[in-house]
Amino acid sequence: MIRELVLLFAVVINIRNSADAFKFMSNWQPPKILTDEQRFEIAKTEERFGDKKLVVITGCSSGLGRQTVKNLLATNKYHVVGAVRDVDKMEAVAELDGFNIDNFHIMECELNSFDSVHKFCDELMEYKLAKPIDRLICNAGVYQPSLPYAKWSVDGHEQTMQINFLSHFLMISRLIEDMTTAPDPRVVMVGSVTGNDNTVGGGGVYPIADLKNLDGFKAGFQNPIAMADGYGFIGAKAYKDSKLCLMMTSNFLHSKYHRNTGISFSSIYPGCIAETPLFREKRAWFRKYFPVFMKYITGGYVGVEEAGQRLFQVAHDPRCAKSGVYWSWNGGPREGRGAAALEKGGQIS
């Protein structure tokens, strides 16, 4: 009897060890049999994109976005889709800058309209075929500090908040599922120092970004409610609040989705680009003296070319694949702060 029990125990141990040996096959899936249509789509995808990563960037016909695209295309490692409001302007810029049109595709996207964002996402999904989206760079933005009253989007929302934040939020929600299939997916949101109240630019210059209890959002944020906090409209604050919303969203998406999806969510402040179309609505004296002030008084000045290199770095550099980071530069590269950003997890003092 004892001998039989020993033999039975040995058999059980052997079976258990054999089962453990095949644990590596727990996630094994049988090979998928592709249809002729699927084979054709894969072949067409390889013909269009090759081994390049697919980047989607909003607002790239001028300023920061334009310089970022130039850097991306210069590597010959990316196929870039430019989501822009003015297709004709973008075509002219692409020709002027010598963009490789084989690797650059222009698509219309009016962030002032949710329908346009939906249409863009639908057309993008069709254009990319079987290629997953590797990078989504939410760059487009408007700054209207001198407006005495709110302007309203097609959807009845305050224009600055919809263009800078709400439409980007919609775009992310539409594209995030597709990005999970990419090997190193990143969502990069262009924030601003003005959205941080713990900085001189954000906390020391009125009006200060402050969403308070989100009473404006809670009330539906429809005309005539123009501010997220529910208070009266202030053009400069609308911009700062929209950038604060973007940076908060980046942190939220990181905490909620990074671990399950593998997508890296980050925001970036590339420095104060004092000479940029973003300030086109400011007074002439401001546009003349503000760059001088930033360059020689605060030391926070950064040219648009260098700022484009910084946004490109966050999208491209393997060291910037870290999620949940706010990449920032305060001051010029002469201080080596770009390297410090990587060493300090993105926070540069």
Side-chain angles (χ1 to χ4, degrees):
M1 182 67 180
I2 294 177
R3 185 168 176 267
E4 291 173 349
L5 287 173
V6 171
L7 288 173
L8 179 60
F9 182 71
V11 170
V12 170
I13 292 294
N14 187 50
I15 292 174
R16 182 178 178 182
N17 290 338
S18 298
D20 289 342
F22 285 92
K23 274 188 176 180
F24 74 95
M25 296 185 67
S26 60
N27 295 322
W28 180 83
Q29 296 289 335
K32 295 181 179 179
I33 300 176
L34 301 177
T35 64
D36 290 339
E37 184 178 352
Q38 289 173 322
R39 290 194 187 94
F40 176 77
E41 185 178 46
I42 291 173
K44 195 173 180 180
T45 300
E46 292 178 353
E47 180 183 356
R48 176 172 293 174
F49 301 106
D51 60 353
K52 294 178 174 59
K53 293 181 179 295
L54 178 58
V55 178
V56 177
I57 179 171
T58 63
C60 55
S61 62
S62 65
L64 177 62
R66 178 178 179 177
Q67 296 299 322
T68 303
V69 171
K70 288 173 68 173
N71 284 287
L72 288 166
L73 294 177
T75 66
N76 202 35
K77 294 181 178 180
Y78 297 96
H79 186 102
V80 180
V81 171
V84 296
R85 177 177 58 85
D86 190 336
V87 172
D88 292 336
K89 178 184 177 182
M90 187 71 256
E91 289 176 346
V93 168
E95 182 176 355
L96 184 65
D97 289 353
F99 288 178
N100 182 354
I101 300 303
D102 291 337
N103 296 332
F104 183 65
H105 183 66
I106 304 169
M107 296 182 68
E108 183 179 3
C109 183
E110 172 57 83
L111 296 174
N112 205 31
S113 164
F114 290 148
D115 284 343
S116 180
V117 175
H118 279 298
K119 184 172 181 286
F120 165 78
C121 292
D122 291 339
E123 293 176 349
L124 174 65
M125 299 302 285
E126 183 178 345
Y127 172 77
K128 74 179 192 62
L129 301 170
K131 180 74 174 178
I133 300 167
D134 296 278
R135 304 285 189 273
L136 174 57
I137 304 175
C138 301
N139 166 70
V142 294
Y143 179 48
Q144 300 171 312
S146 59
L147 279 181
Y149 51 83
K151 286 185 177 180
W152 305 100
S153 72
V154 175
D155 305 285
H157 304 302
E158 191 279 316
Q159 199 175 78
T160 303
M161 183 63 78
Q162 174 152 343
I163 292 173
N164 294 4
F165 170 62
L166 295 175
S167 286
H168 280 126
F169 184 86
L170 173 60
M171 186 178 294
I172 293 169
S173 69
R174 285 290 310 273
L175 303 180
I176 190 172
E177 183 176 353
D178 178 81
M179 295 187 71
T180 60
T181 61
D184 175 29
R186 305 183 197 179
V187 175
V188 182
M189 306 182 203
V190 177
S192 172
V193 69
T194 62
N196 292 337
D197 61 8
N198 63 343
T199 64
V200 174
V205 179
Y206 178 83
I208 298 172
D210 187 355
L211 304 176
K212 300 189 184 299
N213 295 317
L214 300 173
D215 289 337
F217 281 166
K218 291 175 183 177
F221 197 61
Q222 290 273 12
N223 187 354
I225 301 171
M227 301 294 288
D229 59 11
Y231 285 74
F233 177 76
I234 303 175
K237 186 174 185 297
Y239 173 81
K240 294 181 178 183
D241 285 354
S242 70
K243 289 299 184 178
L244 175 58
C245 285
L246 270 179
M247 294 185 288
M248 291 175 65
T249 298
S250 177
N251 290 337
F252 173 79
L253 292 175
H254 161 72
S255 63
K256 187 172 180 64
Y257 294 110
H258 171 65
R259 182 172 296 180
N260 294 332
T261 66
I263 299 175
S264 169
F265 298 95
S266 65
S267 57
I268 171 178
Y269 169 60
C272 181
I273 313 171
E275 296 170 300
T276 171
L278 189 66
F279 295 115
R280 57 183 171 268
E281 295 196 17
K282 298 292 285 186
R283 295 179 177 86
W285 67 264
F286 179 91
R287 296 196 303 270
K288 179 178 180 180
Y289 293 110
F290 183 60
V292 177
F293 176 78
M294 295 302 297
K295 185 179 293 186
Y296 298 107
I297 305 300
T298 69
Y301 173 90
V302 60
V304 67
E305 295 86 0
E306 183 179 346
Q309 292 172 359
R310 292 173 176 181
L311 181 52
F312 159 73
Q313 180 182 3
V314 172
H316 171 74
D317 196 322
R319 296 172 296 175
C320 294
K322 184 177 179 181
S323 186
V325 175
Y326 167 60
W327 302 100
S328 63
W329 285 259
N330 295 322
R334 63 188 184 279
E335 301 177 30
R337 291 176 175 178
L342 297 169
E343 296 170 0
K344 298 178 182 179
Q347 301 298 333
I348 310 172
S349 58

